[in-house]
Amino acid sequence: IYDTPWIHVSVSTGDNYPGDGFLDRLTAASLAPEPPLDAKRADALAYARYERLPQNQFGLTVYGPAGVDPRTGRPYREDRYANDVFVHRGKDGKVGTYIECGNNREGVASCNQKFSLEPAIRAEINVNYRRDQLSEWAQFQSAVTDQILNFRTKDANPSTVNR
């Protein structure tokens, strides 16, 4: 896992599909200025409040945990449980890719990339990989999309497809 080019792909469709526009809803909820926090867990989840970072990376808008931990004086972004969020929007402004990457410096930080295959297929795709492979996000998305779409039958009428 530390030095192999692994990726893990999962597909959610049917009853497990989160619905049209799920990436926009996920992004809005994740990047809300003040996410709803249980009072007992407010300190533990302070690193879940995001701010947009000044520079894009790999064509993605970057968001990181905002603020500094008053107990340690270290940025929340350096917390072992903190994640950075990367978002790619289409020309229409809709989120086309949502990526969350861990900041764990003690082990291998990983990324979870989410995207939809709409309008071709109502499917949520999750691709997991090491954070040092983030620069390849667009290639992963393209290759995974092509591979999954190759499984479709030429006859899209479900009543005529052999079961």
Side-chain angles (χ1 to χ4, degrees):
I1 193 168
Y2 293 97
D3 57 5
T4 60
W6 63 272
I7 68 168
H8 177 265
V9 178
S10 63
V11 180
S12 297
T13 60
D15 290 343
N16 294 320
Y17 179 66
D20 300 350
F22 74 90
L23 290 170
D24 289 305
R25 291 189 305 275
L26 171 63
T27 302
S30 297
L31 302 179
E34 292 295 326
L37 297 175
D38 179 299
K40 293 180 186 175
R41 299 183 61 198
D43 273 353
L45 296 180
Y47 55 82
R49 293 184 192 99
Y50 290 94
E51 65 184 356
R52 184 173 177 174
L53 300 182
Q55 295 204 287
N56 291 352
Q57 287 185 355
F58 315 117
L60 300 161
T61 304
V62 185
Y63 300 85
V68 174
D69 186 334
R71 291 172 292 164
T72 65
R74 296 177 60 194
Y76 281 121
R77 189 167 184 225
E78 293 177 7
D79 188 279
R80 70 178 305 187
Y81 299 108
N83 292 319
D84 288 333
V85 173
F86 301 84
V87 176
H88 184 266
R89 294 180 186 275
K91 291 178 183 177
D92 60 1
K94 293 185 178 187
V95 176
T97 308
Y98 177 94
I99 304 171
E100 220 173 284
C101 294
N103 284 331
N104 185 349
R105 287 156 177 67
E106 297 169 13
V108 175
S110 64
C111 294
N112 179 18
Q113 177 172 335
K114 295 178 182 290
F115 60 95
S116 176
L117 291 183
E118 283 205 48
I121 299 173
R122 296 184 74 219
E124 174 189 10
I125 310 302
N126 283 283
V127 182
N128 298 90
Y129 46 85
R130 289 190 337 261
R131 182 167 179 151
D132 65 357
Q133 295 174 290
L134 178 62
S135 63
E136 300 176 65
W137 74 270
Q139 294 95 318
F140 291 154
Q141 187 160 323
S142 178
V144 169
T145 297
D146 290 347
Q147 187 68 35
I148 292 171
L149 293 179
N150 282 332
F151 286 113
R152 291 190 313 176
T153 63
K154 294 197 186 319
D155 184 351
N157 183 344
S159 64
T160 61
V161 175
N162 291 332
R163 295 179 191 239

